[in-house]
Amino acid sequence: MKKHFLLPALLASALLSSCSSSPAADTPAQTANTAPEAVPADNMPATAASFDAGIDKLDKLKNLTPLTDEEMKKLLPEQVEGLKRSAVELSNVVGKIASAKYEKQPDAAFVVNITDCAGEMGAGKYMMAYMAPVATEDSPPATAETANLTTQKKVDFAGQQAISRHDPVNNVYSLVFMHKDRLFVDVSGPAGTSLADVLAFATKLDSSL
């Protein structure tokens, strides 16, 4: 079995076998000043060292105290690149999530979802939605049979690996990345918006969190 298939399986096994954690407080903060280019990042080798590093981060997240609802609401800035934020909505599906839209024009908005990866549920989100995709190879070039399937590739973003996705049916690019090894950020652009514009918006958002 190839290594890039092995790591996601090991990650899932690690989550299922994890034990209860004790809470500890933490406050996220990070800045990023310039918009990165959409440069494919090197595939992350599924080595024992990278696996151990990921599990170490996973254990630290499980031992953090999740943010309160009010703290989650305050994560999303009122404006990003001059675009005003909609009302913040909260949910609690595999970690606490704060969601909002930044509208360019009616029915054309950047959609932002931020998950606090603290605690058992949040750490599970970090493992399945970030660690596993990063350990997986990028999508191969589209063929006639796969032309309508969403593809993903890793890109360099704010000194880390992020995951970009493209939905060809709706012509929507999205980006997922980690903010200060704690907040899982998912940004989707309006239909027809380029990946470069999504990256620029995500960079401004990242610097405001």
Side-chain angles (χ1 to χ4, degrees):
M1 179 181 294
K2 292 185 178 180
K3 290 183 178 179
H4 59 271
F5 293 124
L6 176 62
L7 183 53
L10 291 175
L11 295 176
S13 175
L15 179 62
L16 292 174
S17 63
S18 64
C19 59
S20 299
S21 59
S22 57
D26 186 66
T27 302
Q30 182 183 8
T31 60
N33 298 319
T34 58
E37 296 180 1
V39 179
D42 292 335
N43 284 341
M44 188 176 179
T47 62
S50 65
F51 176 75
D52 290 343
I55 294 303
D56 182 57
K57 288 182 180 180
L58 192 67
D59 289 338
K60 289 178 180 178
L61 287 169
K62 286 188 291 185
N63 289 323
L64 296 177
T65 300
L67 298 174
T68 66
D69 287 353
E70 286 305 309
E71 289 172 326
M72 290 296 295
K73 287 180 179 179
K74 292 178 181 178
L75 287 175
L76 288 159
E78 293 185 1
Q79 291 191 36
V80 177
E81 286 200 315
L83 305 180
K84 292 184 178 180
R85 186 203 69 206
S86 67
V88 177
E89 297 182 1
L90 299 178
S91 58
N92 197 354
V93 181
V94 193
K96 285 189 174 183
I97 304 172
S99 305
K101 296 180 179 179
Y102 292 86
E103 201 167 63
K104 297 177 68 175
Q105 57 192 40
D107 299 322
F110 287 94
V111 179
V112 179
N113 297 286
I114 298 181
T115 304
D116 179 17
C117 292
E120 291 285 346
M121 294 297 289
K125 177 69 169 281
Y126 168 76
M127 184 193 73
M128 299 306 296
Y130 181 75
M131 284 178 66
V134 164
T136 303
E137 289 185 353
D138 293 346
S139 300
T143 64
E145 291 76 15
T146 63
N148 291 329
L149 298 180
T150 296
T151 58
Q152 74 172 35
K153 66 177 181 179
K154 291 177 280 295
V155 296
D156 291 325
F157 178 82
Q160 62 172 306
Q161 284 189 318
I163 302 151
S164 68
R165 295 190 174 97
H166 181 235
D167 170 4
V169 175
N170 298 300
N171 194 19
V172 169
Y173 280 98
S174 60
L175 184 78
V176 296
F177 62 93
M178 293 299 299
H179 176 85
K180 203 169 178 65
D181 289 333
R182 172 166 181 164
L183 299 178
F184 176 82
V185 185
D186 186 334
V187 179
S188 295
T193 302
S194 68
L195 176 57
D197 285 341
V198 173
L199 285 163
F201 176 88
T203 298
K204 293 292 185 181
L205 173 67
D206 186 49
S207 68
S208 302
L209 294 176

